Amino acid sequence: GGNYIMALKPALTDLPIKTADAGFYKGFSKDVTIASKFIIGGLVIWAVAFPDQAGSVLNKFNSFILSNFASWYIWVVALFVLVCILLAIWPAAGKLNLGQDGEKPEFSNFSWFSMMFGAGIGVGMLTWAVAEPVYHFGNNPEVIKGLTNGGTADNIRMAYKWSFLHWGLGAWACYAIAGLALAFFSYRRNLPLTIRSSLTPLFGKALSGPFGNIIDIVAVVATILGVAQTLGFGVEQFVSGLARIGIGGLQTAEGTASSAGIIVAIVAIMGASTLSALSGVGKGIKWLSNINMVLSIALLSFFLLFGSTFFGLQALVVGIWDYLIAMPDMMFRVWHGDGNPDSVATKLAGWQGAWSVFYWAWWVAFAPFVGLFLARISRGRTIREFVLGAMIVPSLMCFVWFTWAGGTAIDLELNGGAGGVINSAPDGDKIFAMTNFMLSPISEVLSWLMSFMIVVLLMTYLVTSADSAVLIVNTINAAGDEGPKARPHIIFWGVALGAVVAALLLVGGLKAIQTAMVIGALPFSIVMVLMCFALIKAIYNDSRREKAGMDTIATPAE
């Protein structure tokens, strides 16, 4: 009766991926690179040539996804959180080293946390740490249900509960799963550092061929669209900042970026990013990361010292408590509309689609990018260290930003006499409106310097995100090899990324980018669910292999 138990085979430690030997694509997988260029190029040409059609098709897609896949997005992110917790507490998994046995981490804890923080949330903090709590303070599911009142003191705790949901453990679980899968199969099994390697326990050698190519293409497209979303928000904010420091003429009457503003901002950001990517990770990215870490700390310290310090502390402590208690409900609850546009059910479903589903898609689209980065900086750490480090520390950092930067905004609007100047500003401009309100009475010069510092900080964040994305797309296209740094390829993806953002912003503004990204993230969310199963299967089989005295670690070929 023993023959139905699968005989234990050695782990797969060799996954050849065909790359070109010569010519323009030397070192790159032609299938992956050319197909992803066609998809991204096609999207840009379509959006520019047929803007109205593109806008309406994207909208139809958007409502289709929200009505049919909202539950899918909500539940997969809940699954990622559960899998991360399982891996941290499962004894066979927790102590495994993401590297050779006994290998020590390459980076100190401080550097490791700084880089993790910078990769995952940089830009988001500058727009959303102020804008999101202010939004939820005005409206959230409790307000829709009539339990609290928008914009009054009884709504402060709700504002934080929902902000923490979107930037807390759910977001970081998406990154942790992708990073863990990549690190495990690259550093323990010696497989190529690319997305398809993480599915070898499920599909084995089949991943060398077209099936594996499709998985890598899906990851490249998701990455480009996820980073385009970040750059889209960044462009709006960058143009607001330029107007604040005296470079005007780039905005429409409503205070959003005009077409000229969009193009100026994209050229500046993508030009700097492409130059930085050409200089490689060592020089460009490290140098920029250091600048933006210092400036971030300076900006946060300003809010801690001169913002609503006590209000922020209270919001942080109470907010974390509220969040942890409400988390099981918030992570699994899916609201469905009932067809009546004015009913509470439909409003709740609409709110969830615009906020939670959008964020979950964004974090999934960002996962190949942040995951690959996390894998590269976490070699030699144990799985438990990795999961706890990548989930808890960055979540807490987000919470601190949200409570002190966003809390100061709410406090100034409620009790500080801001009189709507922060609330009425466009999202990207809220942080400028707030620092301006705080500093102008003291000194116009200080106010200008602060706006200037935020513009520089924003620029370094956007450039770091964009150039890391370009390098990571090239790593996936080159079958996991960071070697071939062909200049034309870096320039191509730099231009392509800028073109996607510009084309979609000109077609339908941020809404168009958001829709393209929610669609692009969908196939990759399926890949991530498979990653979870592959990781669990690999770790379970490795513990059986160890008992049988088999090798579970492949030594890298010299």
Side-chain angles (χ1 to χ4, degrees):
N3 43 2
Y4 64 87
I5 296 180
M6 212 182 93
L8 202 53
K9 294 203 294 264
L12 179 69
T13 56
D14 181 34
L15 187 67
I17 301 174
K18 188 174 171 307
T19 54
D21 299 327
F24 182 67
Y25 287 105
K26 185 179 183 212
F28 286 85
S29 158
K30 271 182 153 167
D31 297 341
V32 176
T33 313
I34 294 173
S36 28
K37 283 184 176 177
F38 264 109
I39 294 172
I40 293 294
L43 177 68
V44 172
I45 293 165
W46 177 53
V48 171
F50 307 104
D52 298 340
Q53 185 201 10
S56 80
V57 171
L58 284 174
N59 273 332
K60 287 196 185 92
F61 254 126
N62 195 35
S63 33
F64 173 75
I65 285 188
L66 288 185
S67 50
N68 296 289
F69 289 99
S71 328
W72 164 258
Y73 273 125
I74 298 292
W75 290 334
V76 290
V77 172
L79 170 78
F80 300 153
V81 174
L82 294 174
V83 170
C84 283
I85 294 170
L86 168 80
L87 291 173
I89 59 182
W90 179 19
K95 61 177 193 310
L96 287 182
N97 187 330
L98 296 171
Q100 306 292 306
D101 268 348
E103 194 174 332
K104 290 279 171 278
E106 182 184 350
F107 297 103
S108 71
N109 285 347
F110 179 77
S111 300
W112 186 51
F113 291 139
S114 302
M115 287 194 280
M116 255 184 333
F117 174 71
I121 48 178
V123 171
M125 287 299 91
L126 289 177
T127 303
W128 294 111
V130 179
E132 187 164 339
V134 169
Y135 262 114
H136 297 329
F137 178 56
N139 188 30
N140 59 48
E142 279 74 18
V143 175
I144 296 173
K145 290 185 214 162
L147 303 173
T148 55
N149 298 296
T152 58
D154 70 347
N155 208 20
I156 293 170
R157 291 173 66 166
M158 300 309 149
Y160 281 102
K161 186 176 92 168
W162 293 105
S163 301
F164 287 6
L165 172 71
H166 297 147
W167 293 81
L169 301 178
W172 292 90
C174 295
Y175 305 154
I177 292 285
L180 210 48
L182 286 161
F184 184 91
F185 293 103
S186 284
Y187 303 145
R188 288 182 69 86
R189 300 273 170 93
N190 204 25
L191 294 170
L193 183 64
T194 177
I195 306 294
R196 68 176 85 180
S197 300
S198 57
L199 303 187
T200 46
L202 302 177
F203 305 108
K205 286 273 189 232
L207 290 162
S208 280
F211 179 53
N213 293 340
I214 290 172
I215 285 171
D216 281 350
I217 292 164
V218 160
V220 168
V221 172
T223 302
I224 293 289
L225 292 174
V227 176
Q229 178 69 65
T230 297
L231 290 172
F233 284 129
V235 162
E236 285 288 338
Q237 191 162 27
F238 187 61
V239 170
S240 286
L242 291 179
R244 292 274 178 184
I245 59 176
I247 303 172
L250 301 175
Q251 285 175 307
T252 60
E254 289 80 58
T256 55
S258 62
S259 302
I262 290 171
I263 291 162
V264 167
I266 296 275
V267 169
I269 293 161
M270 292 318 301
S273 310
T274 308
L275 288 174
S276 167
L278 288 169
S279 75
V281 177
K283 290 209 270 302
I285 293 180
K286 196 170 144 199
W287 194 74
L288 285 168
S289 291
N290 291 347
I291 293 182
N292 78 32
M293 199 60 195
V294 171
L295 293 179
S296 302
I297 291 171
L299 182 60
L300 186 58
S301 311
F302 168 75
F303 290 127
L304 288 173
L305 296 170
F306 301 105
S308 311
T309 312
F310 182 68
F311 184 96
L313 183 65
Q314 202 177 348
L316 180 67
V317 176
V318 176
I320 290 177
W321 170 254
D322 286 345
Y323 163 66
L324 291 175
I325 287 177
M327 195 170 134
D329 181 63
M330 294 192 297
M331 295 279 328
F332 288 97
R333 160 105 42 219
V334 180
W335 283 302
H336 297 285
D338 57 9
N340 167 10
D342 300 322
S343 71
V344 169
T346 304
K347 284 183 179 162
L348 286 171
W351 187 92
Q352 189 167 37
W355 287 101
S356 307
V357 175
F358 158 64
Y359 271 129
W360 289 172
W362 193 7
W363 304 151
V364 165
F366 238 65
F369 159 55
V370 184
L372 226 154
F373 182 78
L374 287 181
R376 280 189 5 207
I377 61 174
S378 306
R379 191 178 174 139
R381 299 203 172 259
T382 66
I383 289 183
R384 182 171 298 130
E385 247 185 307
F386 178 89
V387 168
L388 297 176
M391 266 176 80
I392 292 171
V393 176
S395 292
L396 285 173
M397 269 314 285
C398 288
F399 296 167
V400 166
W401 268 97
F402 272 72
T403 49
W404 266 284
T408 299
I410 291 177
D411 191 39
L412 292 174
E413 283 290 11
L414 256 187
N415 316 314
V421 290
I422 304 171
N423 282 352
S424 60
D427 295 347
D429 197 37
K430 280 187 167 54
I431 191 164
F432 295 107
M434 173 163 89
T435 54
N436 190 32
F437 175 76
M438 291 164 74
L439 290 170
S440 286
I442 308 166
S443 142
E444 286 295 338
V445 176
L446 273 182
S447 174
W448 186 89
L449 284 171
M450 179 57 94
S451 295
F452 182 74
M453 182 181 107
I454 297 174
V455 171
V456 172
L457 180 56
L458 180 65
M459 185 77 179
T460 57
Y461 269 141
L462 291 170
V463 170
T464 318
S465 299
D467 70 2
S468 312
V470 167
L471 290 173
I472 278 172
V473 164
N474 275 324
T475 301
I476 298 174
N477 285 337
D481 178 16
E482 294 174 37
K485 286 289 168 274
R487 287 177 165 244
H489 296 279
I490 288 180
I491 294 167
F492 173 85
W493 285 110
V495 172
L497 185 52
V500 168
V501 180
L504 290 171
L505 277 177
L506 296 170
V507 168
L510 288 170
K511 192 84 195 122
I513 299 193
Q514 183 172 337
T515 308
M517 191 263 311
V518 172
I519 300 167
L522 199 56
F524 191 69
S525 65
I526 299 167
V527 173
M528 283 187 64
V529 171
L530 295 172
M531 274 181 183
C532 292
F533 291 112
L535 255 178
I536 292 172
K537 180 177 174 183
I539 292 167
Y540 172 68
N541 281 341
D542 272 3
S543 65
R544 290 170 57 206
R545 288 185 184 107
E546 272 184 5
K547 288 195 182 94
M550 294 162 72
D551 263 344
T552 58
I553 294 192
T555 37
E558 286 310 316

